[in-house]
Every structure is written in structure tokens, then in C-alpha cells.
Amino acid sequence: MAALFTVDFQNCFIFILVCLFSILFYSLLFKKSKAGFNLPPSPPSLPIIGHLHLLLSFLIHKSLQKLSSKYGPFLHLRVFNVPIVLVSSASIAYEIFTAHDVNVSTRNLPTNEGSLFFGSLGFTTAPYEDYWKFMKKLIVTKLLGPQALERSGGIRAEEVERFYSNLLDKAMRKDLFRGERPLKKFGISPFKKELASLSTRFDEVLEKILVEYEDNIDEHHQGTDTSTHAIQWKMAEIINNPNILERLREEIDFVVGKSRLIQETDVPNIPFLQAVVKEGLRLHPPVPILVRMFQESCEIKDFYIAEKTTLLVNLYDMMRDPDTWEDPEEFKPERFLASSRSEQEDKIRAEVLKYIPFGSGRRACPGSNLAYESIAIAIGVMVQCFDWKFKGDKVNMEEARGAMTLTMAHPFKCTLVPRTILPFTSS
Ligand code: HEM
């Protein structure tokens, strides 16, 4: 009898344990909010800190990518009591930026005036209210919209020539880096310096125009950094893929010839150059994660999203999704080329869904046109006019840890040799 009781007690104890673990497991994976709404799936969390430990990473876009590949493309996370939704699926992102765009048109970054981490980013962090709307209109009409860019085209053309002459000057000194030792010592590549200077000069010109209207804007730093890194990544890919370099050069030579410098107006006639720029932004998006906030509660894919939930969209993950991109880890500019007009239209339609290196909706990057133009022309000049001698087999494509924008961990160094010396037109 005593033995029977012991066996029953053991069975009962095991049964209770199994029940407890099942409830715990169920509540961790299919958690419902207090109000009974269905929250998106959630990975197991720790008491009090929630998922904080999963977000503490120096390569946050990669940690989030791992999380999404394990638990799904639409996740609910929590840091202490701050709710976060993580999206890495193109279709969910598309739904958010169409059906819920106004609701997510505010970032939950501090609206700082000179904060320690973000500097003074008034416009970027401004809520979706009158100040932002006024500034956005101003930026589009006076600075970054298609007509405004056309008006400032002459100034940029001068800057392109200056960029070429600076590079030529370096190349003529044979050893590009001999005089740059102190920079090397601090791990700063002079190549990066040239690119930064081109971008900075563009931004300085733009800034002068904007200052007439508004003294307080300082977003040009963001544009400089993102464009500079974008150009670096693309040059690294071009150097690692000699066949791409060859094709690019052939197309540039065919359209531009060898007696003048490439201009912005040539870019629409060189589809492969545009494809190289696009593919570089897909594989190495300078801003890998978008941060927004749901102002009000809503439902997405039948899941409940509470008001003031932070939205993270992992662009890096989305644009390497094997379900939507063939050979997603490879640098293949051809994927953006089409053989006919109807194929081109299909591709553009598909891209709206899955290709968003500049974000999406009302708060998408207003500098995308300028960025495309300045990156294409910088790459164009570098490929048209110089050979790039790199010591070693391949450029190391490792990403820097802890950087806000996607940055190369080992900015590469190379020597440039002029292919041909072109006459200047404007000086
Ligand atoms: C390769 C270059 C660039 C990339 C990849 C890039 C990417 C981005 C992204 C992803 C956002 C956030 C969009 C969103 O939340 O949906 C953004 C915002 C912004 N970008 Fe860019 N950007 C680039 C260049 C530029 C340039 C050249 C400028 C201006 C000269 C610029 C000005 C801004 C501003 C002002 C915002 C904030 C917009 C707002 O809050 O409404 N960016 N950018």
C-alpha cells in the first residue's frame, strides 16, 4: 500500500511538472496580452529584463537576423516594460508602411538639441507634426526634390571635377599614401577621406542653401556618413569582382568615351552603373535598421500591437531574405537589369515590396535621389579614370562592430593609377 502510494505520488509529481512546463512554454511562445489580445510570437525572455540580453550586441542587425530566422519574421520583444516589434519580412513591412504609415511616422528617439549620442537631429527626431511637415516641404522644394536637384546640378558638376582632380593629384604622386602616415596610424583610410570630402562638399553646398531658410538644421552629417560608407562598400565589391569592374568600365567607355569626364546626365544611360549602386545598397544598407514607434494601438496580420510600441525593421535581413532574393549573399548587379520594358516594370513593382534601403512611407529618406546620383557619379569617376591596385586576394568585407551605420571593419587601402588624363571643362 505504501509502495502504491509512493508510485502514485511520483506520477502525480511528474504530471504536475509536465503541466507547469507546458504552461510556461505555451505562455513564452504564444503570449497573449493582459487584455486578451494576440501578440506576435515572442522568443523566451528573462524575468524583469525581458529580451534585453538578446539585443545587447555589437552587430545588432545580425543578432536580430538570427532571432528572426529562429522565431519568425514578426516578433514581439520586451526590454523591461518597453514593448518592441521586430519585422524582417518584406510583406509585413509593406503592410505597415501603407496601411499604418501615419501611425508609425514618428521615431521614438529623443527629440534632442545636442544630445550626447545623436547630436542635434531636430528634423530626423521630430514627431510627425507641423514642424516636421513644414521642414519636409522646404527640403523637398528647395533642396532635395528632383527640381531642386536639377537647379543645383551645376554646382555638383564642379565638385565632381574637383573630386577627379584630387584623385589624379594623389595618383600622380605615385604612392597615394606616402604622405598620409599619421592618418594610417589612427586607422583612417585616405581613400575614405577623399570620399568623405566629396560628400561633405555636396552637403556644404546644400547646407548653404538651406541655411537661408532655417538656421537649425543639421541632417547633412547623416547624408555624408551614409553616402561615404555606401561608396566604400561598393568599391570593395567592385575590386573583389574583376568581371563587374570590366563590364562597368566597358559600359562607361561606350557611353561617355575616353575624352571627357562622366557627368550626372550620363548615369541614366548606363544601366549597369545604376544596378551596381542598387545592389551595393541592398547587400550593405548604410542604415541597417529602421526605428519608428506605433503612436496608437493597431492590428497587423491579426496580431495586436499596443500604442507606444517601438518598431524595428531589419532592412539588412529583409534585403538578404532567401525567399525573396536569389543568391542573397552574392553581389550580383544583373539582378536589377531587365531585357525589356515590361520586365523592367515587373521588377520595379516587385522592388517596391522588398527593396527599401532608404526606408519607406512619409519618413523615408528625402536624400535618396541625391544619394543615388552622388554615389553613381563617384563610382563612375573612380572606375572610368583609374585602375585600383589592391595588395592581397580579396578586400576583407567584415562589418565594424558597434557602428550606427554599416561600416567596414577594415577600410581597405589601395593605390590608384590613372587610365587616361582628361581635360577639365569648368576651370
Ligand atoms: C546612401 C545614402 C543614404 C542612405 C542609405 C540613407 C538612408 C536613410 C534611411 C534608411 C532613413 C530612415 C528612413 C525611414 O525611417 O523610413 C533616412 C532618413 C533620412 N535621411 Fe537618409 N540616407 C542616405 C543619404 C541621405 C542624404 C544624402 C541626405 C541629405 C542630404 C539624407 C537625409 C535624411 C534625412 C533628413 C532623414 C530623416 C527623414 C525624416 O525623418 O523624415 N540621407 N535615410
Side-chain angles (χ1 to χ4, degrees):
M1 183 71 184
L4 193 66
F5 180 76
T6 313
V7 170
D8 269 350
F9 178 78
Q10 273 178 353
N11 281 345
C12 192
F13 183 66
I14 290 167
F15 178 69
I16 290 170
L17 266 186
V18 168
C19 286
L20 278 177
F21 271 110
S22 305
I23 291 169
L24 187 69
F25 183 70
Y26 181 85
S27 67
L28 286 172
L29 275 185
F30 307 101
K31 207 157 136 195
K32 292 198 167 215
S33 76
K34 278 186 189 135
F37 293 110
N38 212 8
L39 293 175
S42 187
S45 61
L46 293 176
I48 305 174
I49 64 166
H51 299 97
L52 178 64
H53 59 297
L54 300 176
L55 301 176
L56 291 176
S57 159
F58 285 114
L59 285 172
I60 180 89
H61 54 284
K62 289 212 163 163
S63 308
L64 296 180
Q65 187 182 27
K66 272 192 201 144
L67 211 57
S68 299
S69 68
K70 194 163 176 194
Y71 297 100
F74 192 30
L75 294 177
H76 182 266
L77 307 174
R78 175 177 68 83
V79 173
F80 297 101
N81 63 350
V82 177
I84 299 171
V85 158
L86 170 63
V87 172
S88 60
S89 134
S91 67
I92 300 171
Y94 183 74
E95 182 176 332
I96 293 175
F97 291 122
T98 47
H100 304 273
D101 192 41
V102 173
N103 197 11
V104 294
S105 280
T106 288
R107 298 196 169 88
N108 64 345
L109 299 171
T111 47
N112 48 14
E113 281 307 318
S115 110
L116 189 59
F117 297 109
F118 295 100
S120 172
L121 295 175
F123 176 72
T124 309
T125 58
Y128 179 62
E129 288 167 6
D130 288 349
Y131 166 76
W132 180 86
K133 287 178 190 166
F134 169 75
M135 288 303 293
K136 173 78 186 228
K137 210 169 171 182
L138 205 58
I139 285 173
V140 171
T141 53
K142 304 290 179 198
L143 196 61
L144 297 172
Q147 285 164 352
L149 284 183
E150 216 177 303
R151 284 197 297 273
S152 53
I155 304 168
R156 287 196 304 284
E158 281 174 25
E159 292 307 326
V160 170
E161 290 203 348
R162 209 188 305 263
F163 177 54
Y164 167 60
S165 97
N166 283 345
L167 289 180
L168 190 63
D169 187 43
K170 299 274 183 196
M172 299 305 268
R173 280 194 271 142
K174 294 287 181 234
D175 181 355
L176 171 63
F177 307 120
R178 190 169 290 157
E180 312 275 6
R181 291 253 155 78
L183 287 179
K184 259 191 186 170
K185 205 168 137 192
F186 292 107
I188 301 164
S189 150
F191 174 48
K192 180 177 169 182
K193 198 181 129 205
E194 290 304 313
L195 298 174
S197 128
L198 176 71
S199 290
T200 308
R201 292 193 71 89
F202 276 167
D203 287 330
E204 278 169 8
V205 171
L206 294 168
E207 193 196 2
K208 271 185 207 149
I209 302 167
L210 189 63
V211 158
E212 287 174 23
Y213 301 91
E214 171 64 48
D215 285 341
N216 261 340
I217 191 156
D218 202 16
E219 275 74 35
H220 56 283
H221 294 304
Q222 178 172 358
T224 310
D225 264 16
T226 44
S227 302
T228 306
H229 292 302
I231 295 167
Q232 270 195 310
W233 282 112
K234 274 173 259 292
M235 280 310 289
E237 290 287 4
I238 290 171
I239 288 170
N240 281 349
N241 293 280
N243 53 333
I244 291 179
L245 173 62
E246 203 177 318
R247 178 165 175 188
L248 192 53
R249 197 167 264 166
E250 264 172 24
E251 296 205 8
I252 293 174
D253 286 349
F254 180 74
V255 172
V256 183
K258 289 188 178 165
S259 57
R260 68 170 175 89
L261 192 59
I262 183 172
Q263 298 169 5
E264 256 178 36
T265 46
D266 294 314
V267 175
N269 302 323
I270 314 171
F272 194 61
L273 176 56
Q274 297 174 56
V276 164
V277 173
K278 280 183 130 178
E279 176 68 341
L281 290 172
R282 179 193 70 82
L283 207 51
H284 311 286
V287 180
I289 296 175
L290 296 189
V291 184
R292 306 281 193 87
M293 187 169 70
F294 287 93
Q295 288 291 86
E296 292 169 5
S297 65
C298 62
E299 262 191 37
I300 294 168
K301 303 268 179 232
D302 290 335
F303 290 116
Y304 174 76
I305 312 292
E307 67 172 317
K308 307 294 176 211
T309 295
T310 296
L311 167 67
L312 300 182
V313 182
N314 193 347
L315 301 186
Y316 181 92
D317 194 5
M318 247 179 79
M319 293 195 291
R320 288 177 181 230
D321 182 351
D323 291 341
T324 43
W325 299 95
E326 210 182 295
D327 302 327
E329 304 292 326
E330 284 176 36
F331 188 73
K332 283 185 163 179
E334 318 82 74
R335 70 175 86 239
F336 288 103
L337 296 178
S339 53
S340 67
R341 203 188 170 96
S342 68
E343 196 192 343
Q344 184 67 28
E345 282 166 5
D346 287 349
K347 285 196 176 219
I348 289 171
R349 261 194 300 276
E351 278 171 28
V352 171
L353 267 174
K354 59 180 189 176
Y355 181 76
I356 52 169
F358 293 98
S360 190
R362 288 164 176 73
R363 294 304 286 253
C365 178
S368 60
N369 289 335
L370 174 65
Y372 273 130
E373 277 178 11
S374 53
I375 294 171
I377 200 74
I379 304 273
V381 169
M382 290 190 278
V383 168
Q384 183 199 12
C385 307
F386 302 94
D387 277 320
W388 297 83
K389 303 275 179 227
F390 173 72
K391 269 192 196 156
D393 280 348
K394 291 258 175 194
V395 176
N396 184 337
M397 303 299 275
E398 204 181 310
E399 291 162 8
R401 294 153 67 85
M404 292 277 282
T405 39
L406 204 71
T407 308
M408 296 187 81
H410 311 283
F412 62 102
K413 299 175 171 78
C414 47
T415 314
L416 65 166
V417 180
R419 282 181 73 216
T420 166
I421 297 184
L422 301 167
F424 293 98
T425 51
S426 61
S427 53

